[in-house]
Amino acid sequence: MFKHTNRTVPFLLAALLFAMHLVLPTIGAAQAWRIAFLPFKANAPQDMSYLTTGIRDMLASRLASEVGLTVIDKTAVDKALAAAGTPTQTEAFIKLGKSLQADFLVTGSLTAMGSSLSLDAKVFEMAKGAPRNFYATAKNESEIIQSIDSLAWDISEKIFSHKRPATALVQPQAAGQAGAQPQPQYATAHPERAFASRTGTSGGSPFIYPKGITSEFQKTQNMKLSLQFMEMADLDGDGQDEVIFADRESVQIFKRDNTRLSKVGQIPGKVGYRIHAITVADLNKNGKPEIYVSAADNKQPNSFAFEWLGADKANYLFQDVRWYLRAMPVPGEGVVLAGQRADSNKAVAPGIYRLEQSGGAVKAGSPMEVPDSVNLFEFTIADLDSDGSREIISIDQYDRLRVMRAGGTVLWKSDEFYGGTTRFIGGTEGFGASKTGSQEDSSSRIYIPSRIIAYDVNGDGQQDIIINKNLSTSSRLFENMKNYPSGEIHALSWNGLALSELWRTRKIDGYIVDYLLRPNADKKGAELLVGLTLNTGSLDMFAEQTSTMLIYQLDFSKKQEQ
């Protein structure tokens, strides 16, 4: 059997490109539309220029030979692109396309996450303006050619109404194609396996686990979005959950079709206040989930809550509230709205309260039974040992995970770092000193970690913990320089003395911003959704970033030893 290597993939691309270019002169007379291909961008820790160049040329050759298009010479395209600068908005792409006298313009990117590759492309039609999005995935470089072929056929069908032949239908499906059925990613170990040594897995399993299944995650398209938090809920009552992303300035709502996200609404925040967290709950019991948005400037919170009415319309329950907000589950109570105030000289004041809503106002109710050392976004409450008493599972500002009693007694503290985040409240908007030269503002930052999920993932009747671990030595040495090039998701189980590892994902290239666990109706499995910001090579946390969402299918059924 012929084995693909990093050297053979470029060779295969070159051979295919040569063969395709042989047929281009024979169709010149029939070509009607002109199409320009911009260079593909690589989102990868290693040099993948040989692949991005091949993808650009192969897509061009494929569409020219199958559809009958005139492909504008890439030297002319590159020259026009250099003169125009780097376009980011639709209008700039349209202007560039028109300068090339093109009917269509294609831009795209290649993203590497571990061994997996994702192809994202936008096709601009000069006559219509708005782009169409396309993408495909490959488990590794040896499958990249099939993925390029699949992407070309998708564009051919949906843009040019040129149907693919039956022989092309056997190619691997693009990740967003309807009908693609995700496969289970792993089966959880029995509780006693928590202490077993891991031997690794064969194939490309995204989980490190003794009995891992050879399978891969799925991925949505890349989006220009500085992701801060994510949620899911059925906001419009159609029976399908919407995906809710928050960037620093707005809440954006997407319809989901398997791995394809289509934006359907956007609600802006208040100018001057950065969004750092969103949560969703139907606290007024009207059958329509509300979105609770926690936002702040450098000194105090200014939060709001709304029901989405479709498109860019919202019914606000309250606005301009001077509380940090979080809708959170509390054992024995259900979901409550919790809040914390700012102090006169610090980002947060001691005390977390259940909040009461009335007539568009919010006021403090009873205090929550959590230690004063814990801030609003740093903890979850669970019964880890099924003894009827609650434990507080928290992560501190030094990224150490702790298990505590409600009174503050520490039962366990991790030696390892968990969490890792770039979100903060208080402090200044840049790295290091403030504009006045004072270090005081930057040292007063409170970093907002991702959620801590409590859920029984191994069926033993006790709640386990799912938490991220963003990887970066420098971000934990330098207090206010946070940059996380990669991360993992861990599942931990309480063994009576400590939280020990059940499983973890393989390293994910990119900064893990947030994640959700969505149990299936039968509770035997779930989706693990991971919101990810891709590596940009920039330490500017306020620059526009590229984000995506990974999807893991989890199997909670117990797997017997074989």
Side-chain angles (χ1 to χ4, degrees):
M1 179 181 292
F2 182 75
K3 182 178 180 181
H4 290 291
T5 67
N6 286 346
R7 294 182 177 180
T8 59
V9 171
F11 174 78
L12 288 173
L13 280 171
L16 279 172
L17 289 172
F18 177 76
M20 288 180 176
H21 282 299
L22 290 178
V23 305
L24 291 181
T26 66
I27 61 171
Q31 292 166 351
W33 290 301
R34 287 169 55 86
I35 188 168
F37 288 83
L38 300 185
F40 270 55
K41 177 184 176 183
N43 299 308
Q46 67 270 33
D47 180 19
M48 304 195 81
S49 57
Y50 69 92
L51 278 178
T52 54
T53 300
I55 291 165
R56 180 189 187 186
D57 292 343
M58 190 172 176
L59 268 180
S61 298
R62 188 54 135 171
L63 289 171
S65 61
E66 293 295 338
V67 181
L69 304 175
T70 296
V71 177
I72 299 173
D73 182 73
K74 67 180 182 181
T75 302
V77 173
D78 292 346
K79 184 177 180 180
L81 180 61
T86 303
T88 57
Q89 302 297 323
T90 296
E91 294 76 11
F93 283 107
I94 296 299
K95 183 178 179 181
L96 175 61
K98 289 182 177 179
S99 72
L100 290 164
Q101 298 182 329
D103 299 294
F104 299 90
L105 183 142
V106 180
T107 183
S109 63
L110 172 70
T111 301
M113 290 171 294
S115 62
S116 298
L117 300 169
S118 171
L119 285 171
D120 294 79
K122 288 181 181 290
V123 180
F124 294 85
E125 186 173 356
M126 300 303 108
K128 296 181 179 179
R132 297 278 297 275
N133 297 305
F134 300 87
Y135 72 113
T137 59
K139 291 182 180 180
N140 47 56
E141 288 187 20
S142 65
E143 292 188 5
I144 192 67
I145 294 173
Q146 297 99 309
S147 297
I148 296 170
D149 192 56
S150 178
L151 188 68
W153 278 119
D154 267 0
I155 295 171
S156 175
E157 284 188 323
K158 294 174 184 177
I159 297 293
F160 302 104
S161 300
H162 185 82
K163 297 296 181 182
R164 71 184 77 192
T167 54
L169 295 176
V170 300
Q171 297 292 343
Q173 288 180 305
Q177 199 171 326
Q181 297 298 319
Q183 298 298 318
Q185 304 293 319
Y186 79 107
T188 306
H190 291 292
E192 62 270 17
R193 293 188 196 170
F195 299 98
S197 61
R198 288 180 297 274
T199 58
T201 61
S202 61
S205 173
F207 290 88
I208 295 179
Y209 174 78
K211 294 285 185 180
I213 297 173
T214 303
S215 180
E216 290 292 337
F217 55 78
Q218 294 179 296
K219 173 187 169 297
T220 67
Q221 73 271 27
N222 293 347
M223 292 166 285
K224 285 294 181 183
L225 177 73
S226 297
L227 183 62
Q228 298 299 299
F229 236 78
M230 59 186 284
E231 275 287 3
M232 285 186 71
D234 183 6
L235 300 177
D236 56 10
D238 67 352
Q240 300 294 323
D241 285 349
E242 280 73 42
V243 177
I244 308 159
F245 288 153
D247 61 16
R248 298 183 188 93
E249 292 83 30
S250 67
V251 177
Q252 301 184 29
I253 300 164
F254 296 80
K255 288 287 187 182
R256 178 185 169 197
D257 180 9
N258 194 14
T259 59
R260 170 60 54 185
L261 299 179
S262 302
K263 187 175 176 181
V264 293
Q266 183 168 352
I267 305 300
K270 188 170 183 178
V271 175
Y273 293 89
R274 301 188 304 272
I275 296 173
H276 51 262
I278 58 169
T279 46
V280 177
D282 181 17
L283 297 181
N284 60 11
K285 306 300 182 183
N286 68 349
K288 191 177 182 64
E290 310 98 48
I291 300 177
Y292 294 89
V293 182
S294 191
D297 62 8
N298 297 333
K299 296 181 179 180
Q300 62 183 343
N302 191 313
S303 301
F304 61 98
F306 66 92
E307 293 176 346
W308 183 56
L309 301 179
D312 300 336
K313 299 179 181 178
N315 173 35
Y316 289 93
L317 281 70
F318 54 78
Q319 299 184 74
D320 301 321
V321 166
R322 299 302 185 184
W323 289 89
Y324 302 108
L325 297 180
R326 178 188 175 196
M328 61 175 293
V330 177
E333 297 182 48
V335 179
V336 304
L337 181 61
Q340 188 170 20
R341 287 192 181 275
D343 211 339
S344 58
N345 59 353
K346 291 188 295 185
V348 295
I352 299 171
Y353 297 86
R354 296 168 179 84
L355 299 182
E356 299 173 357
Q357 303 179 51
S358 179
V362 173
K363 64 179 182 178
S366 59
M368 297 193 70
E369 299 77 16
V370 295
D372 287 341
S373 61
V374 174
N375 294 322
L376 179 63
F377 302 100
E378 295 177 346
F379 74 99
T380 195
I381 304 173
D383 183 0
L384 293 179
D385 50 12
S386 300
D387 65 353
S389 63
R390 302 173 181 177
E391 282 76 47
I392 308 294
I393 303 93
S394 72
I395 188 163
D396 63 24
Q397 290 291 298
Y398 302 98
D399 292 343
R400 303 291 189 180
L401 193 59
R402 295 179 294 176
V403 178
M404 299 180 291
R405 296 295 187 196
T409 302
V410 177
L411 303 177
W412 173 80
K413 182 178 179 180
S414 69
D415 293 324
E416 295 185 56
F417 294 112
Y418 289 92
T421 178
T422 64
R423 294 179 295 266
F424 64 88
I425 53 179
T428 59
E429 293 193 5
F431 293 112
S434 65
K435 293 178 181 178
T436 62
S438 169
Q439 292 287 341
E440 182 178 353
D441 287 341
S442 60
S443 64
S444 66
R445 291 177 185 172
I446 300 294
Y447 282 89
I448 307 296
S450 299
R451 70 192 69 225
I452 301 171
I453 299 174
Y455 193 85
D456 181 8
V457 300
N458 59 9
D460 64 354
Q462 294 182 186
Q463 289 187 301
D464 307 303
I465 296 300
I466 296 176
I467 190 169
N468 68 320
K469 178 188 281 190
N470 280 318
L471 307 174
S472 173
T473 301
S474 62
S475 293
R476 292 180 171 102
L477 289 176
F478 301 100
E479 184 176 3
N480 292 311
M481 294 187 67
K482 306 294 186 181
N483 180 48
Y484 298 97
S486 61
E488 303 163 345
I489 303 290
H490 287 234
L492 309 172
S493 180
W494 182 251
N495 61 27
L497 298 175
L499 287 171
S500 58
E501 186 177 302
L502 288 175
W503 51 256
R504 58 187 161 105
T505 64
R506 293 189 181 276
K507 188 176 74 171
I508 301 169
D509 291 322
Y511 160 50
I512 297 173
V513 180
D514 199 12
Y515 40 92
L516 300 168
L517 187 72
R518 308 291 294 177
N520 298 340
D522 60 6
K523 306 296 184 182
K524 294 181 179 179
E527 283 187 327
L528 177 64
L529 309 172
V530 180
L532 189 72
T533 295
L534 303 177
N535 294 319
T536 62
S538 171
L539 292 178
D540 183 2
M541 68 171 65
F542 294 99
E544 186 176 39
Q545 297 168 319
T546 299
S547 300
T548 191
M549 186 173 76
L550 309 184
I551 305 164
Y552 296 87
Q553 296 297 325
L554 313 184
D555 180 5
F556 293 157
S557 61
K558 293 184 178 180
K559 186 171 182 179
Q560 301 296 325
E561 291 283 352
Q562 296 178 354

